[in-house]
Amino acid sequence: VQLQASGGGLVQTGGSLRLSCAASGSSLGYSSLIAWFRQAPGKEREGISCFTRSAGSTFYSDSVRGRFTTARDNAKNTVYLQMNSLKPEDTAVYFCAARAVRVPGRSCLNSFVYDYWGQGTQVTVSS
C-alpha cells in the first residue's frame, strides 16, 4: 500500500483545513487500521486519530478531540482529516498511516503498530 497525504498549508488561528490520504497499490480493506499522526519540530510523533471501518469507532488524542474529525471515502480509497478551530500548537507535519488489521482500542495511536506511511504534509497555523 502506498499512501499519499495532501492538503496541508498555512492557516490563521481558528481556521480550518482538510487533509487527504489517498491509498494506492491496494485497497484499504474492511479491517484495515488507518491513522493520522503529526510531528512538530523537536517533538515526538503524536498519534491524533485512528479508526477501522470494521470496529465502527474512532479514537482521538486529547489534544485534538472535539476539533478534528476523520472520514473515509471507500470508493476513492481515501481518508480525510477535517481540522477545525486550529491553534498555533497544531503546527506540524501530518502523516497518515495504515495497517492491514486493527489493534485493540487506543493502542492504535501508537506509531509502532503501522506498516505503511505517507510522506507527510506541512500544516502551519499562524497566531
Side-chain angles (χ1 to χ4, degrees):
V1 176
Q2 290 82 46
L3 303 174
Q4 178 77 31
S6 61
L10 175 64
V11 64
Q12 291 185 334
T13 296
S16 298
L17 279 176
R18 188 178 78 159
L19 305 184
S20 300
C21 176
S24 62
S26 180
S27 302
L28 297 173
Y30 186 72
S31 297
S32 59
L33 180 63
I34 313 298
W36 286 95
F37 289 81
R38 66 184 182 186
Q39 189 164 20
K43 294 188 177 181
E44 294 186 355
R45 190 166 294 190
E46 175 191 15
I48 56 175
S49 77
C50 52
F51 68 97
T52 59
R53 186 154 54 116
S54 62
S57 59
T58 304
F59 295 96
Y60 296 97
S61 67
D62 292 342
S63 58
V64 306
R65 187 179 297 112
R67 301 187 297 124
F68 291 11
T69 56
T70 57
R72 181 170 178 164
D73 186 331
N74 295 316
K76 295 182 178 180
N77 221 23
T78 299
V79 172
Y80 302 98
L81 180 68
Q82 178 66 45
M83 306 186 295
N84 299 326
S85 303
L86 283 162
K87 307 174 183 179
E89 50 264 44
D90 294 319
T91 295
V93 178
Y94 284 71
F95 301 87
C96 56
R99 172 188 167 99
V101 180
R102 67 186 178 103
V103 297
R106 295 182 65 84
S107 62
C108 63
L109 291 174
N110 292 312
S111 60
F112 62 81
V113 308
Y114 292 92
D115 302 312
Y116 307 103
W117 289 86
Q119 85 290 359
T121 184
Q122 176 71 45
V123 172
T124 303
V125 184
S126 62
S127 57

